[in-house]
Amino acid sequence: MEMNTHDRLERIFKDAFSIEKLTDDLSIDNVPGWDSMAHVALIMTLQQEFGIAITPAEAIELTDIASIKNYLRSVAH
Amino acid sequence: MNEQITKILDEMPAAPSWLYYRRAAGQLRALAASGANIFANGFKVAFTGSFTMEPVSEYAIVEAARQDIGLDVYVAPYGQFSREMLDTQSGLYAFKPDLTFLMVEPTAAGTDQETADHMVSLAHHWSSAGNGTLLVCTFAAPPDWPLHLLASTARERLQKANQYLIKALANDPRIQILDLDALAAYFGYVNAFSPQMLAMARVPFSEAFLKLLGQKIGSCVKAVKGLSAKCLVLDCDNTLWGGIIGEDGLDGIALGPDSPGREFVEFQKAILELYEQGVILAINSKNNEADVLEVLRRHPHMLLREKHFAALVVNWQSKADNMNALAQELNISLDSMVFADDNPVERQLLRQMLPQVKILDLPANPALYAQTLRQTDFFTKASLSEEDRQRGAMYAAQRQRTQLQQSSVSLEDFLKSLEMVCSIRKAEAKDVKRAAQLTQRTNQFNLTTRRYTEAEIAAMLPDKRRAVYVLGLKDKFGDNGTVGLAIVNKQTESWRIDTFLMSCRVIGRQAEDALVDRICRDAQLSNVKQLTAEYLKTPKNALAADFWDKMNFIKTSLDEKTSQYKCDLERYAPKEFKYLKLISINQN
């Protein structure tokens, strides 16, 4: 399950931001193109990809890979 | 379309989220910025409004690219639409756009009416200083009545403001209205609006609705630039009516108040709507002209009559040749023509031979024809002039038949691309029903028009003095089933082709030649000295009149009704068929 989530995230980041390898330290501060507008588009994509609803308040916190993974893990259960 | 554009569009997933639109739009912009003149048409579009306009611009860039239109965009800063429109030193004016897109929420300047007033004054100001065309959206908002289902005063206010806006801007030819409220209603308000997008991105629309809006902006650009299609070219059988007029006759075709005729009446209604908006209508049909004219003139349920058509090309030549002839006769370019035909093979042929012509992909179910036509953006117009309303009638009045000319476009690539597999075999018990039906129903490509019952066909199968061949044809679009039939009467020294027919939807694809070739080969193998054939003229089979001549059979006699032929078997050289994969079973 964890592998699967990682791979799906990696594909999204590859498609959206041309990131080759997904690591936990990637964040809105160090990924070129991940700006505030792209962040909303990313959240919409995560909702679609993982079949979940993310509130705007939650979305503000999901600005690095570690947080996104933690979040996906928490809603999976 | 440019390969790099195609690549970018193809790389998007099947149901792309905004993220993928954003990425593709960025790639398209970078490609355009590299200086390459990659689009058939390029336009500068400025986006401004009370929403975040970036997502709208991104969807528009991608959806316009699908229509081979390149958008060079300017997105005004968020919340700055009034200043951008009023200050002629603003980025918007400096950009000198071909089209300025203005989309404002009804509460942006107070009440709905106050906001409408504000927009009218912005538009008038723009009109005195701005470049190109201004496209103003009507207000759209989710309805507030789900709790009581009564007429809502809020909705009434919104509609009043929209009507005011439309009326106030109607007289400026440089200002066009995009009825966003109607578009949201068409899409369904519940699906058009997304509270999530509004909260996070400050644009109220769902991603699915942004896609539709992007398409409409692309169509508006085309309409404003006069790139809309002018002419709808229609096939007849199974397009304007159900069935085949040449086979089923005036009383047999499906057209009327009840299914399976209602579907076609509804389609004709949708076609008439276009006619009334100035779209020219034409017919391009493989048929006998007299048969088609009879339907146009006499069928009680035809809505479309001869007077509605600017040109009719009804013959047995290729539709591509006929399309060229229509373009010449109507003096319009091929890229302003849209072709509607139920047959996917004809559509594909035209796509390959005349890629400029736009194709309306009619679905297999005729009940969906009208909807498909109404949803296409080929004919989108910025506005309707009096001339538009009269145009159809003008063309029809000026109609002159011009001699059709052969075009030099080759059929070979098309035949090759069909990947045809042709099977020719002796009929078996399972074929009796279809074989009898073919003799009874085939009128046009039928050399002798001899009708046989199932019992008669069944009696031929074990008969050593008879050979019954059936021909099946598959292509990449599917299996056409058993579409050809030949019956040969055999004597020791000579064979006679008693019946030879093909369903007309597959004529001209060399299958008929292959069937003749098979009979000739079998005759040679049986050491037959002579093979004879005939053409018996009927009111319906002019199409086949010179078939035996084309097959290099020798004419031995003819009178008004009958031509007799023979084939010189000693000199007959078996043929190869480059474009048909032949499967011949039970050879002799």
Side-chain angles (χ1 to χ4, degrees):
Chain A
M1 183 65 199
E2 181 60 26
M3 259 316 280
N4 193 13
T5 300
H6 178 90
D7 290 347
R8 285 156 83 185
L9 270 183
E10 187 167 73
R11 207 200 63 241
I12 291 169
F13 272 77
K14 194 177 163 188
D15 287 348
F17 307 116
S18 306
I19 294 293
E20 282 308 318
K21 188 164 166 47
L22 191 76
T23 52
D24 283 2
D25 62 326
L26 292 179
S27 81
I28 199 164
D29 297 322
N30 58 26
V31 173
W34 189 354
D35 56 21
S36 61
M37 194 62 64
H39 187 63
V40 180
L42 173 65
I43 295 296
M44 300 305 286
T45 303
L46 293 178
Q47 294 192 132
Q48 187 180 311
E49 171 74 26
F50 294 96
I52 53 175
I54 303 171
T55 68
E58 289 166 337
I60 293 173
E61 307 297 326
L62 303 180
T63 50
D64 60 82
I65 298 300
S67 309
I68 292 172
K69 281 187 177 172
N70 278 334
Y71 178 81
L72 291 174
R73 213 175 289 127
S74 74
V75 294
H77 297 293
Chain B
M1 193 182 282
N2 177 287
E3 276 175 26
Q4 288 165 290
I5 302 170
T6 312
K7 184 163 176 283
I8 292 169
L9 296 175
D10 287 351
E11 276 175 358
M12 294 175 75
S17 66
W18 170 24
L19 191 64
Y20 296 96
Y21 270 90
R22 191 173 159 82
R23 175 184 161 87
Q27 290 170 329
L28 289 166
R29 291 179 82 166
L31 197 57
S34 71
N37 194 7
I38 51 172
F39 284 100
N41 294 286
F43 301 106
K44 294 170 83 168
V45 181
F47 291 86
T48 186
S50 65
F51 306 103
T52 307
M53 301 305 290
E54 243 175 303
V56 180
S57 74
E58 287 159 1
Y59 276 86
I61 287 171
V62 174
E63 292 302 329
R66 290 190 206 284
Q67 305 174 46
D68 206 7
I69 294 170
L71 298 190
D72 179 9
V73 310
Y74 168 79
V75 180
Y78 174 72
Q80 295 289 309
F81 73 95
S82 297
R83 197 193 62 77
E84 288 270 324
M85 293 284 288
L86 291 171
D87 177 5
T88 53
Q89 304 297 310
S90 70
L92 191 148
Y93 286 97
F95 184 62
K96 293 202 186 314
D98 298 303
L99 186 80
T100 300
F101 179 83
L102 178 63
M103 184 169 76
V104 173
E105 59 204 305
T107 52
T111 65
D112 301 7
Q113 184 58 45
E114 284 164 353
T115 308
D117 282 330
H118 180 62
M119 285 172 76
V120 170
S121 64
L122 289 182
H124 285 156
H125 185 84
W126 170 90
S127 191
S128 63
N131 204 51
T133 300
L134 178 66
L135 185 62
V136 179
C137 294
T138 59
F139 302 127
D144 63 344
W145 38 245
L147 292 182
H148 43 78
L149 294 177
L150 300 172
S152 113
T153 49
R155 178 128 197 93
E156 195 186 324
R157 277 200 302 274
L158 186 91
Q159 286 172 335
K160 260 191 183 155
N162 277 339
Q163 282 161 12
Y164 168 80
L165 197 59
I166 292 168
K167 216 172 166 187
L169 300 178
N171 290 328
D172 190 332
R174 294 175 57 222
I175 299 176
Q176 304 293 341
I177 302 280
L178 192 153
D179 196 346
L180 191 63
D181 189 50
L183 194 64
Y186 161 80
F187 195 75
Y189 287 113
V190 173
N191 300 314
F193 293 95
S194 163
Q196 180 89 345
M197 286 289 281
L198 181 62
M200 293 198 296
R202 293 182 300 208
V203 63
F205 304 121
S206 67
E207 291 163 287
F209 185 69
L210 282 170
K211 175 182 172 178
L212 179 64
L213 183 56
Q215 286 170 0
K216 292 296 164 190
I217 293 170
S219 304
C220 286
V221 172
K222 280 205 307 196
V224 164
K225 284 290 170 181
L227 295 172
S228 300
K230 295 188 178 73
C231 177
L232 176 60
V233 182
L234 294 146
D235 169 52
C236 288
D237 294 330
N238 289 317
T239 299
L240 288 182
W241 53 75
I244 298 166
I245 182 62
E247 306 286 348
D248 302 321
L250 193 64
D251 301 328
I253 57 173
L255 186 67
D258 300 311
S259 184
R262 181 60 179 267
E263 296 90 316
F264 297 95
V265 171
E266 293 300 321
F267 186 45
Q268 293 197 18
K269 275 187 202 168
I271 295 167
L272 265 183
E273 287 165 15
L274 290 178
Y275 171 83
E276 275 152 19
Q277 292 174 23
V279 172
I280 308 163
L281 304 180
I283 282 179
N284 180 353
S285 167
K286 284 185 183 167
N287 252 314
N288 288 328
E289 189 175 44
D291 291 344
V292 169
L293 285 174
E294 192 183 15
V295 181
L296 291 179
R297 289 170 186 166
R298 301 219 168 80
H299 198 288
H301 297 296
M302 279 297 284
L303 297 179
L304 296 169
R305 297 294 183 184
E306 217 178 338
K307 64 173 183 184
H308 296 113
F309 293 98
L312 299 161
V313 179
V314 184
N315 57 37
W316 296 97
Q317 299 189 47
S318 93
K319 296 211 176 183
D321 287 346
N322 286 345
M323 200 62 93
N324 276 322
L326 280 170
Q328 199 170 345
E329 179 175 346
L330 297 171
N331 196 21
I332 56 178
S333 61
L334 287 169
D335 59 13
S336 64
M337 301 169 91
V338 177
F339 177 59
D341 193 313
D342 66 296
N343 185 344
V345 175
E346 293 286 6
R347 298 200 298 257
Q348 187 61 18
L349 170 62
L350 214 59
R351 259 199 190 98
Q352 291 192 346
M353 296 184 73
L354 299 175
Q356 311 96 305
V357 174
K358 295 167 179 73
I359 307 293
L360 182 69
D361 276 311
L362 289 177
N365 178 0
L368 304 179
Y369 283 4
Q371 182 183 316
T372 304
L373 182 62
R374 288 193 178 105
Q375 285 175 357
T376 156
D377 284 329
F378 290 137
F379 300 103
T380 303
K381 276 221 171 68
S383 62
L384 282 187
S385 64
E386 192 52 36
E387 196 205 332
D388 284 331
R389 296 193 181 90
Q390 301 295 333
R391 181 176 300 117
M394 271 160 34
Y395 266 90
Q398 289 168 1
R399 173 167 9 125
Q400 292 172 332
R401 297 279 157 73
T402 53
Q403 200 66 32
L404 298 186
Q405 59 179 30
Q406 294 288 123
S407 103
S408 58
V409 191
S410 140
L411 264 169
E412 294 187 342
D413 286 343
F414 172 67
L415 290 175
K416 196 172 168 189
S417 75
L418 276 179
E419 298 161 18
M420 291 183 285
V421 178
C422 176
S423 80
I424 300 175
R425 56 185 177 78
K426 297 280 175 62
E428 300 163 43
K430 65 175 180 180
D431 300 310
V432 167
K433 191 169 181 176
R434 175 64 179 157
Q437 192 185 50
L438 280 170
T439 68
Q440 288 157 20
R441 293 201 49 205
T442 309
N443 294 320
Q444 292 170 130
F445 198 90
N446 192 338
L447 276 298
T448 57
T449 320
R450 296 194 171 101
R451 315 293 196 191
Y452 291 111
T453 64
E454 284 181 41
E456 286 168 326
I457 297 280
M460 293 176 191
L461 299 189
D463 189 341
K464 295 274 184 246
R465 293 162 302 167
R466 297 270 205 173
V468 180
Y469 295 88
V470 288
L471 179 146
L473 189 65
K474 286 182 201 172
D475 56 45
K476 70 174 177 184
F477 296 102
D479 194 344
N480 296 290
T482 299
V483 287
L485 177 81
I487 299 173
V488 179
N489 294 339
K490 303 198 286 192
Q491 287 168 330
T492 323
E493 295 282 313
S494 75
W495 287 11
R496 177 161 189 76
I497 299 177
D498 168 90
T499 293
F500 192 97
L501 63 85
M502 297 283 289
S503 166
C504 46
R505 68 178 354 226
V506 299
I507 287 168
R509 299 210 231 152
Q510 301 190 336
E512 60 271 45
D513 306 30
L515 185 52
V516 174
D517 183 65
R518 167 69 188 270
I519 296 168
C520 292
R521 285 173 190 244
D522 284 0
Q524 279 184 324
L525 286 171
S526 303
N527 293 316
V528 172
K529 297 278 180 297
Q530 184 170 287
L531 175 65
T532 59
E534 62 190 329
Y535 166 71
L536 305 182
K537 187 177 172 183
T538 72
K540 300 274 191 187
N541 71 352
L543 168 65
D546 59 357
F547 179 66
W548 297 123
D549 300 293
K550 280 188 193 159
M551 292 296 105
N552 288 324
F553 280 37
I554 300 151
K555 200 177 277 178
T556 52
S557 76
L558 89 158
D559 59 41
E560 199 149 309
K561 292 258 152 133
T562 317
S563 306
Q564 300 291 332
Y565 292 86
K566 69 171 185 184
C567 172
D568 188 351
L569 286 172
E570 283 180 1
R571 292 183 184 208
Y572 183 79
K575 290 179 186 147
E576 297 295 327
F577 297 93
K578 268 200 279 190
Y579 309 115
L580 282 179
K581 187 178 171 199
L582 271 179
I583 303 173
S584 289
I585 305 162
N586 48 37
Q587 203 100 26
N588 226 21

